[in-house]
Amino acid sequence: MPAFLSSIRYFRASTLLLAILSHAGLAQQQDAEMPEQTPTFEQCVVGLQQQALSAGVSQDTVSNVLGNVNYLPKILEYDRNQPEFVQTFPGYFSARVTPWRIDKGREMLAKHKEFLAKLTQQYGVPGHYLVAFWGLETNFGGIKGKMPILDSLATLACDQRRSKFFSAELIQALLLLERENLQVDTMVGSWAGAMGHTQFMPTAYLTYAKDGDGDGKVDLWNSELDALESAANFLQHLGWDAGYRWGREVSLPTSFDYQLAGKSNPKPLSFWAKQGVTDTEGNTLSQSELLAALLIPAGHTGSAFLVYSNFDTILRWNNSEYYGIAVGHLADRIVGKGPLAKPLPDLPKYTLLEMQAFQHKLNQLGYDVGEADGILGPATRKGVRAFQTKQGLIADGYPSKETVDAALSVAVPELTQ
Ligand code: CA
């Protein structure tokens, strides 16, 4: 039993008083005499109740809803859960852009054809992207999550790791509950607080969700039209560039300088054309000044992509390059474009520990990859590129088996003396 549970009964009577005292700073002297302690869940909730009141949540909701939230230890287990293996692009992509999702996406595009056309006109976002987001988020509403949102958010708000973010989301969830007359037990979603067909966090729901079907309610759980219009409105606010696509797969010349790759290095299409980059059929790119960044998520043996500003917009929805490519490609497939021109490469499957050991070794050798967290982020790719260049390997920033073996076999200078 968590330690805080034993103190609950003592706490109820004095919670409000203590909250008022702390708010006024009167409890400071008392605090100084006591050893520093992490607040109990109950204490934390009292603080959240004050914040909720200040944010305009009614006393009734603060007492009867927020006052009755439950601590759910399993939410923190989900939050701390680390995958055993490093996620590779081929693994991620093939699990998401599936024949089922493509077919179902086409079915949904046809089902909502007129409504989606109206949304495209109003918000600038083509329907096949909206359907692709919907498919990736919840399998078109099939998996919306069943965790109690308020309990989940309260648990995360009272955990130190991301307390500020989740406290704010919890308060937005309460405001949403009041505005939409929601019931606590129907506010369900992912363990991290995302809700409905398009998995909106409370802030996004409260700010950007729309009543697409015109029934006077904004219901992302039960209305497909509400969910689709909400996604369109949200994407428009995130900066969707009407009339442009997300990006495209391209082909690279054998002599390509892989140092040019990376989302932080956008260049005009005319620049890429000059480098010998072509479309997947070998046709020259247009001499346009449109900015595009080149991504090689699976290293030089996998597909290369040029991505435009709408790719950044997708990443503002979910900050993952793999996700962005999956959404964009799924949208393309839904409107009948073909599969990737280059087959997904068979990449080594590293455990998180193996990747951390590799990162640690590169740091020891003086190639800064940032924290050895087992994640293949921009810092790791940069350090790997520098190491590959030094070793005369293709500097694509991808930890191929050859690259990892090379790193592990180099002696660390300090240890050789
Ligand atoms: Ca509605």
Side-chain angles (χ1 to χ4, degrees):
M1 179 191 283
F4 71 85
L5 287 178
S6 57
S7 65
I8 286 179
R9 81 178 63 173
Y10 302 104
F11 214 83
R12 286 221 185 266
S14 59
T15 45
L16 191 59
L17 178 63
L18 187 64
I20 292 166
L21 286 174
S22 350
H23 229 65
L26 295 175
Q28 273 180 1
Q29 197 182 349
Q30 199 185 3
D31 284 349
E33 290 161 10
M34 287 162 65
E36 212 170 294
Q37 271 184 328
T38 309
T40 64
F41 183 67
E42 286 289 309
Q43 288 169 321
C44 169
V45 169
V46 171
L48 291 168
Q49 286 180 307
Q50 288 298 321
Q51 283 184 47
L53 281 174
S54 310
V57 180
S58 74
Q59 180 65 59
D60 184 42
T61 302
V62 166
S63 306
N64 298 322
V65 177
L66 187 49
N68 285 309
V69 288
N70 298 300
Y71 177 77
L72 301 179
K74 69 178 165 189
I75 297 294
L76 298 185
E77 283 173 29
Y78 293 136
D79 187 51
R80 304 295 193 266
N81 181 36
Q82 289 204 317
E84 189 185 348
F85 291 95
V86 176
Q87 179 98 67
T88 65
F89 176 72
Y92 181 96
F93 185 88
S94 57
R96 282 162 183 81
V97 184
T98 60
W100 181 85
R101 275 211 180 95
I102 296 166
D103 287 347
K104 190 80 179 169
R106 288 173 182 168
E107 194 185 313
M108 291 299 157
L109 190 71
K111 178 182 174 186
H112 295 299
K113 192 177 169 205
E114 282 173 25
F115 185 70
L116 289 168
K118 189 203 90 162
L119 294 181
T120 306
Q121 207 166 33
Q122 192 174 346
Y123 299 97
V125 188
H128 52 291
Y129 287 99
L130 303 175
V131 170
F133 275 101
W134 184 20
L136 281 182
E137 291 294 337
T138 61
N139 275 352
F140 312 97
I143 309 169
K144 289 179 280 198
K146 291 181 178 160
M147 300 303 296
I149 288 294
L150 297 174
D151 291 347
S152 302
L153 291 173
T155 301
L156 290 162
C158 291
D159 176 51
Q160 289 185 344
R161 208 166 80 85
R162 285 182 289 171
S163 174
K164 200 173 163 194
F165 171 77
F166 284 110
S167 299
E169 289 296 336
L170 174 63
I171 287 163
Q172 296 289 298
L174 294 166
L175 291 169
L176 177 69
L177 173 134
E178 293 193 326
R179 192 190 76 184
E180 296 296 325
N181 283 317
L182 300 171
Q183 299 299 312
V184 173
D185 58 2
T186 58
M187 283 185 83
V188 292
S190 78
W191 64 264
M195 296 171 283
H197 279 280
T198 44
Q199 294 289 282
F200 273 26
M201 288 299 286
T203 299
Y205 197 139
L206 197 65
T207 316
Y208 301 111
K210 292 283 206 179
D211 177 16
D213 61 15
D215 69 350
K217 291 181 292 187
V218 180
D219 184 350
L220 295 187
W221 288 277
N222 301 302
S223 168
E224 294 184 357
L225 301 192
D226 286 9
L228 289 169
E229 181 152 355
S230 300
N233 186 44
F234 190 34
L235 285 165
Q236 186 188 47
H237 280 273
L238 293 177
W240 191 269
D241 235 342
Y244 290 92
R245 53 195 296 193
W246 69 279
R248 67 202 298 193
E249 188 187 0
V250 290
S251 291
L252 305 179
T254 40
S255 60
F256 187 74
D257 175 8
Y258 287 94
Q259 307 272 4
L260 296 169
K263 208 173 73 63
S264 58
N265 188 35
K267 301 279 182 198
L269 275 185
S270 54
F271 172 87
W272 296 115
K274 210 175 290 173
Q275 301 298 315
V277 179
T278 64
D279 72 12
T280 52
E281 283 163 359
N283 301 309
T284 314
L285 299 176
S286 71
Q287 288 298 316
S288 155
E289 290 309 294
L290 184 67
L291 286 176
L294 191 119
L295 303 182
I296 37 166
H300 73 279
T301 59
S303 291
F305 301 91
L306 278 179
V307 295
Y308 311 130
S309 82
N310 281 334
F311 186 79
D312 295 316
T313 302
I314 298 173
L315 265 55
R316 280 177 218 122
W317 175 304
N318 180 353
N319 190 20
S320 152
E321 291 184 9
Y322 292 178
Y323 180 88
I325 294 170
V327 163
H329 186 74
L330 179 60
D332 285 348
R333 297 299 302 277
I334 288 171
V335 286
K337 291 202 171 72
L340 293 179
K342 212 166 176 180
L344 292 168
D346 189 15
L347 297 174
K349 203 175 180 193
Y350 299 112
T351 65
L352 208 61
L353 287 175
E354 284 169 338
M355 186 52 59
Q356 286 167 338
F358 169 65
Q359 290 173 317
H360 180 65
K361 183 68 184 280
L362 286 186
N363 277 336
Q364 277 186 317
L365 293 172
Y367 301 97
D368 183 13
V369 298
E371 191 194 342
D373 53 9
I375 297 168
L376 252 178
T380 297
R381 286 174 183 272
K382 195 170 170 217
V384 171
R385 255 188 217 121
F387 173 73
Q388 288 169 324
T389 304
K390 185 85 176 171
Q391 295 289 310
L393 299 166
I394 293 177
D396 61 1
Y398 195 83
S400 62
K401 185 161 187 321
E402 198 183 10
T403 303
V404 173
D405 287 350
L408 295 180
S409 67
V410 176
V412 177
E414 288 84 351
L415 298 178
T416 56
Q417 287 170 358

